[in-house]
Amino acid sequence: MDKKLKKIVLVFSLLMCWFTMNSQTQKDSLKNIWNNTTISDSLRFKAIKDYYYKNTYAKPDAVITLTKYHYQLGKEKGVVKEMASALNERSYAHYIKGDLNRSIEVLKQSISLFEKINDTKNLVVIQSNLGSIYNEQKEYLKAFNSFNTSLKIIRDFKLKTSEARILKEIGDIYSSLDELDLAMEYFDESLTICVASKISKQNQIGTIFLKKAEIYYKKQQYNQALEYSNKAINEFKVTSNKFDLSECYMLLAKANKKLLKKDLALAYTDKALAINYELDNNSKIIETQILKSYLLLDSKPELAKNLGEESLKLIKSETSNKIKADLYKLLYECYKRSNQTNRALSMFEKHTVFKDSFQLEKNKILIIKETIK
């Protein structure tokens, strides 16, 4: 490892240590408030929400635990809105962990409670979260319809932060459908609203930069992809958004791989992998390990094979067909290189099955693409 890479790894490690100590101090302070029965309920609920804001993207398991306390406190105080808010936050924490089925199940419970108290403004914002889950599940038509319905009402309420977020989400759908120029228009419109309305949430602005970086990567404009990934990282440095930060490192790894900078690509892959393990996001872990294995395949084929086999143990029924196809293709390459013919053939057959399933999904996407144009 050269000196530049050692410096990058050292700085990253020091930052992670600082964030951990600082985060624990803040948690203890907020915990003292939400556990204090002598102060107003509004202050206790505010402390819980402050903790969510700082930690949902970084510590989903801790947030899930807190939402149970939050829900029970809301129930004891007879505040249905707080119960609904707790469920919404729990849904998002499951989303961060990649557990989309559980996320959507809990979110629907939250929506039901908001409907019960007829809270239209919060209801439309929460309902738009369904679109984010549908998008991650590649249910693009459902996602598009969800966002479009919410966007009209959100504009009526003049909720600029939510409007900017939904425009970014619609842009992300178009990016998935390879309508890259149209996607960039939505990202630019979202960013314009953030600037004009002085929406200074680094999570939101950083995510827009990340999405623009992904567009540049797809267009094979790798230097621009690096530039916007680093812009996103600069925004995320003052937040605890590890979920999107890992995506930035993953994109930096892929772009540097394309630019034939394998050592740098490996360094960024390790950063992404460390975060994904911390978030316990199974699908992201597998994706990152697949990329790392390919980076090691020429120089350390045995290590690449071992990492691929480790990834195979992480496969679940809900793991996407694309990830399964990519992993079996990797293992086919590994076994072929080590002259394990039978294993290579087995992996190739499995790759073909999941590749065909993924191709069917892509064919559906082409139909959806024509539907929402």
Side-chain angles (χ1 to χ4, degrees):
M1 185 181 291
D2 61 30
K3 290 183 178 179
K4 184 177 180 181
L5 284 178
K6 285 182 179 178
K7 285 181 179 178
I8 290 173
V9 172
L10 177 61
V11 170
F12 179 73
S13 301
L14 290 172
L15 280 172
M16 289 300 100
C17 289
W18 182 85
F19 279 130
T20 300
M21 290 186 292
N22 190 50
S23 175
Q24 185 59 47
T25 302
Q26 289 176 340
K27 179 186 176 181
D28 292 342
S29 176
L30 291 170
K31 188 176 181 180
N32 289 337
I33 296 172
W34 72 60
N35 280 330
N36 190 342
T37 58
T38 66
I39 62 175
S40 69
D41 294 337
S42 61
L43 286 176
R44 295 175 72 188
F45 287 128
K46 183 179 182 301
I48 290 172
K49 287 168 187 173
D50 285 345
Y51 183 82
Y52 290 156
Y53 181 75
K54 295 180 175 71
N55 293 283
T56 297
Y57 287 92
K59 300 178 180 178
D61 286 321
V63 165
I64 289 169
T65 300
L66 180 56
T67 61
K68 296 174 184 177
Y69 175 87
H70 183 189
Y71 181 90
Q72 189 59 36
L73 183 62
K75 189 175 182 180
E76 288 173 7
K77 301 297 180 180
V79 187
V80 177
K81 181 178 178 179
E82 292 296 337
M83 295 164 64
S85 296
L87 290 172
N88 176 57
E89 205 66 41
R90 190 184 306 171
S91 168
Y92 201 72
H94 284 299
Y95 175 86
I96 294 296
K97 286 170 62 67
D99 190 350
L100 302 181
N101 292 333
R102 182 63 178 146
S103 178
I104 205 165
E105 177 188 336
V106 175
L107 185 60
K108 286 180 177 179
Q109 294 172 16
S110 174
I111 289 170
S112 178
L113 288 178
F114 275 120
E115 287 174 338
K116 182 177 179 180
I117 58 175
N118 199 27
D119 187 338
T120 308
K121 186 183 288 188
N122 275 303
L123 182 60
V124 70
V125 173
I126 301 306
Q127 282 177 326
S128 71
N129 291 343
L130 278 172
S132 300
I133 301 172
Y134 290 142
N135 190 18
E136 194 70 19
Q137 290 178 324
K138 296 179 173 51
E139 295 278 357
Y140 298 120
L141 188 55
K142 281 186 180 180
F144 185 81
N145 290 335
S146 174
F147 289 135
N148 253 1
T149 301
S150 298
L151 186 60
K152 293 170 186 175
I153 304 170
I154 279 169
R155 280 174 168 163
D156 289 340
F157 279 112
K158 294 181 170 53
L159 302 174
K160 289 298 182 181
T161 300
S162 294
E163 181 182 356
R165 179 179 64 84
I166 290 176
L167 287 170
K168 184 267 296 178
E169 294 280 9
I170 294 174
D172 198 26
I173 293 173
Y174 280 120
S175 177
S176 298
L177 300 177
D178 288 329
E179 292 286 346
L180 303 184
D181 292 334
L182 189 54
M184 192 67 88
E185 287 178 19
Y186 275 92
F187 296 147
D188 286 337
E189 187 178 355
S190 178
L191 186 59
T192 298
I193 292 173
C194 288
V195 174
S197 303
K198 297 182 179 178
I199 298 171
S200 58
K201 288 185 177 180
Q202 285 82 8
N203 275 344
Q204 194 140 325
I205 294 171
T207 302
I208 295 169
F209 286 150
L210 171 59
K211 295 302 176 184
K212 288 168 78 78
E214 289 173 355
I215 295 291
Y216 286 124
Y217 179 82
K218 288 183 176 182
K219 288 186 169 185
Q220 300 181 10
Q221 297 173 342
Y222 301 123
N223 287 318
Q224 288 93 327
L226 294 175
E227 177 188 347
Y228 273 86
S229 294
N230 283 311
K231 279 187 175 184
I233 288 171
N234 287 335
E235 296 291 331
F236 295 141
K237 276 180 181 176
V238 291
T239 75
S240 56
N241 187 348
K242 293 183 179 179
F243 181 75
D244 282 333
L245 188 60
S246 75
E247 289 294 303
C248 288
Y249 290 135
M250 190 67 167
L251 193 55
L252 285 170
K254 291 193 291 186
N256 276 292
K257 180 176 181 285
K258 291 291 185 181
L259 294 170
L260 304 180
K261 298 178 180 178
K262 282 193 176 181
D263 286 344
L264 202 52
L266 271 169
Y268 285 124
T269 303
D270 284 337
K271 287 184 179 183
L273 191 56
I275 294 172
N276 291 331
Y277 266 109
E278 189 177 344
L279 296 177
D280 192 28
N281 189 314
N282 189 268
S283 292
K284 299 294 183 186
I285 291 169
I286 298 171
E287 282 183 305
T288 311
Q289 291 188 165
I290 290 172
L291 176 59
K292 183 173 181 179
S293 295
Y294 273 114
L295 288 166
L296 294 169
L297 195 55
D298 289 331
S299 59
K300 299 178 180 178
E302 190 65 24
L303 187 56
K305 184 183 72 173
N306 292 341
L307 193 56
E309 290 173 338
E310 282 180 26
S311 299
L312 192 58
K313 296 174 186 177
L314 299 175
I315 289 287
K316 297 180 179 179
S317 58
E318 63 266 28
T319 304
S320 76
N321 288 329
K322 182 180 185 306
I323 291 175
K324 290 174 182 174
D326 288 345
L327 179 55
Y328 287 123
K329 183 180 179 182
L330 165 70
L331 287 169
Y332 162 71
E333 294 289 345
C334 291
Y335 292 135
K336 186 175 71 170
R337 290 187 181 212
S338 59
N339 294 318
Q340 294 175 277
T341 308
N342 290 336
R343 283 190 174 186
L345 181 59
S346 173
M347 293 300 109
F348 184 77
E349 289 172 349
K350 290 178 179 180
H351 162 69
T352 302
V353 169
F354 288 108
K355 182 184 176 184
D356 289 345
S357 298
F358 177 57
Q359 187 59 49
L360 286 174
E361 292 172 4
K362 289 181 74 175
N363 293 341
K364 290 179 184 177
I365 287 172
L366 291 174
I367 298 170
I368 294 169
K369 185 175 178 177
E370 293 303 315
T371 304
I372 71 173
K373 267 189 176 180

